[in-house]
Amino acid sequence: MSKVIIIGAGGVGTVVAHKCAQNHDVFSEIVLASRTRSKCDAIAHQLGDKPWITTDSVDADSVEQLVELFNRHKPELVINVALPYQDLTIMEACLQCGVNYLDTANYEPKDVAHFEYSWQWAYRERFEKAGLTAILGCGFDPGVSGVFTAYAAKHWFSEMQYLDIVDCNAGNHGKAFATNFNPEINIREITQNGRYYQDGKWVVTEPLEFHKTLNYPNIGPRESYLLYHEELESLVLNYPTIKRARFWMTFGQEYLTHLRVIQDIGMARIDEIEYNGQKIVPLQFLKAVLPNPQDLGKNYHGETSIGCRISGLDKDGKPLTYYIYNNCSHEEAYKETGMQAVSYTTGVPACIGAMMFLTGKWNKPGVHNVEEFDPDPFMAQLPVQGLPWHEVINADLEL
Ligand code: NDP
């Protein structure tokens, strides 16, 4: 049996559904469930209205509704690609119904723009005792970034010392301002303080305070900004030889100017305000008027390039620099799934992670980050499923 429920019918959910449907030998039955059922129906229709792909609706903020959904369908695994706010309710329902769990973003409370793994790691013992596996952060970053690091540790390094995750989107969607995934989650992430790990401590920076020009393969130089990103938290624990770990993301000037204005005029606020006798959250209102990330794909040109730049000692104790990356074309992603490369690079790894679990390769009761599993079978699937990767040995890492 390998029935899965995919919760969330946004850009990422659409890609996960496409990729799982392409791998029917592994995913024998697929249920698409989201708050708005019509979005699931539209995806099922795009996939050719197959009898083994069905739809349902659920408010994933409600454990009760989730339990009812899981009991009705009895899936082996739930792929959570709704929003980070729903992680804990879905994990709770999984425990109540004996369902395994996978997500792409760590839990974040709605009223505080703060994310960390402690809330989900607190479920470790319960998942372990129940004999259930929870795979956390299985998108691209987090996700493939952790698998790349695990692969480097396994095959190249005796001691990893410096890790920089570099995320470049060199695509152009032709809009003055748009986010590539859920605008609320995206803007909350970028407007936070930056943070990186150095010599056993976390160093906090002002939002987007540090930046540097980095060269990306097939793209060229792009200004890259230091952000806090969730996979740093688990990677420095799982690889204690790491002395410094940072995350960099590229932004264009136009994007940053719009972001500054949005913040300056209060539209990035996440607290409730009174408007015409109604309570609204400015950032949620902004989401309603911004372009929908799912609609960007059609005119999106260019590509993304995401990878890990690592230095340390090789298996013989000699100095080594290592860069491993994937480039993904927005046009190609759109042709295959109707979504742009940011949704594609998140949805494909979520499907591969689910495949790893269902084929018994990543089946380990407890709550785990991706780097805790064997990277090899996952790395073998990446190019097969549309995300080829490349290695550069002993080049200048620029960092
Ligand atoms: P979207 O906003 O496009 O889609 C989210 C979906 O979740 C929508 O279909 C929405 O339903 C549904 N949803 C929201 N709240 C609920 C709820 N309470 N119950 C049921 N369904 C709900 O987001 P994306 O597809 O862009 O992103 C999905 C996830 O992927 C996010 O968690 C994001 O953080 C993560 N992500 C991870 C990345 C990585 O590399 N690891 C990169 C990019 C994204 P409705 O439309 O009906 O409201």
Side-chain angles (χ1 to χ4, degrees), residues 7-13 33-36 39 58-61 81-84 86 104-105 137-143 180-183 185 287 292-294 342-343 345-346:
I7 301 185
V12 178
S34 193
R35 203 163 36 188
T36 316
K39 294 188 183 174
V58 69
D59 178 357
D61 288 323
V81 280
L83 298 180
Q86 282 87 45
T104 66
C138 197
F140 207 105
D141 45 348
N180 294 292
F181 65 96
N182 185 285
I185 304 298
K287 174 182 184 278
N292 184 344
Q294 285 168 67
V342 177
S343 302
T345 53
T346 309

Side-chain angles (χ1 to χ4, degrees), residues 148-343:
F148 278 172
T149 306
Y151 187 81
K154 182 171 175 183
H155 296 285
W156 289 93
F157 287 92
S158 60
E159 185 178 318
M160 290 194 294
Q161 296 168 338
Y162 299 96
L163 166 69
D164 285 281
I165 299 168
V166 291
D167 179 331
C168 170
N169 180 4
N172 182 3
H173 44 55
K175 308 263 184 216
F177 181 83
T179 62
N180 294 292
F181 65 96
N182 185 285
E184 187 184 334
I185 304 298
N186 192 202
I187 292 173
R188 281 165 67 119
E189 174 181 309
I190 295 165
T191 52
Q192 285 186 35
N193 284 330
R195 199 152 40 119
Y196 64 96
Y197 180 83
Q198 177 132 31
D199 300 324
K201 292 195 200 81
W202 291 98
V203 183
V204 178
T205 72
E206 288 302 311
L208 310 181
E209 178 187 350
F210 288 113
H211 51 103
K212 204 173 161 47
T213 309
L214 298 176
N215 283 282
Y216 293 89
N218 205 35
I219 291 168
R222 285 288 188 282
E223 207 55 18
S224 308
Y225 293 78
L226 189 147
L227 295 183
Y228 178 64
H229 226 239
E230 63 201 58
E231 64 266 55
L232 297 178
E233 186 184 2
S234 65
L235 286 169
V236 298
L237 288 178
N238 287 321
Y239 299 100
T241 59
I242 292 180
K243 296 180 186 174
R244 188 188 65 209
R246 301 179 296 190
F247 184 95
W248 305 83
M249 190 178 272
T250 61
F251 299 106
Q253 265 320 308
E254 188 69 2
Y255 181 93
L256 292 177
T257 305
H258 276 80
L259 192 67
R260 202 182 66 229
V261 174
I262 285 169
Q263 280 182 283
D264 287 350
I265 62 173
M267 284 307 294
R269 280 174 59 175
I270 59 170
D271 53 322
E272 282 185 343
I273 59 150
E274 191 84 19
Y275 177 74
N276 271 353
Q278 211 182 329
K279 292 214 183 302
I280 62 162
V281 175
L283 184 56
Q284 286 174 1
F285 176 76
L286 179 70
K287 174 182 184 278
V289 293
L290 282 177
N292 184 344
Q294 285 168 67
D295 300 334
L296 297 176
K298 199 166 179 200
N299 299 309
Y300 221 135
H301 306 292
E303 56 190 332
T304 60
S305 178
I306 316 176
C308 296
R309 300 185 185 188
I310 307 172
S311 59
L313 304 176
D314 71 8
K315 297 284 182 201
D316 299 321
K318 295 199 202 80
L320 171 71
T321 74
Y322 178 80
Y323 179 21
I324 179 164
Y325 66 92
N326 159 265
N327 274 30
C328 181
S329 147
H330 287 288
E331 285 100 329
E332 293 302 317
Y334 181 74
K335 262 188 242 158
E336 186 185 332
T337 62
M339 295 294 135
Q340 31 80 356
V342 177
S343 302

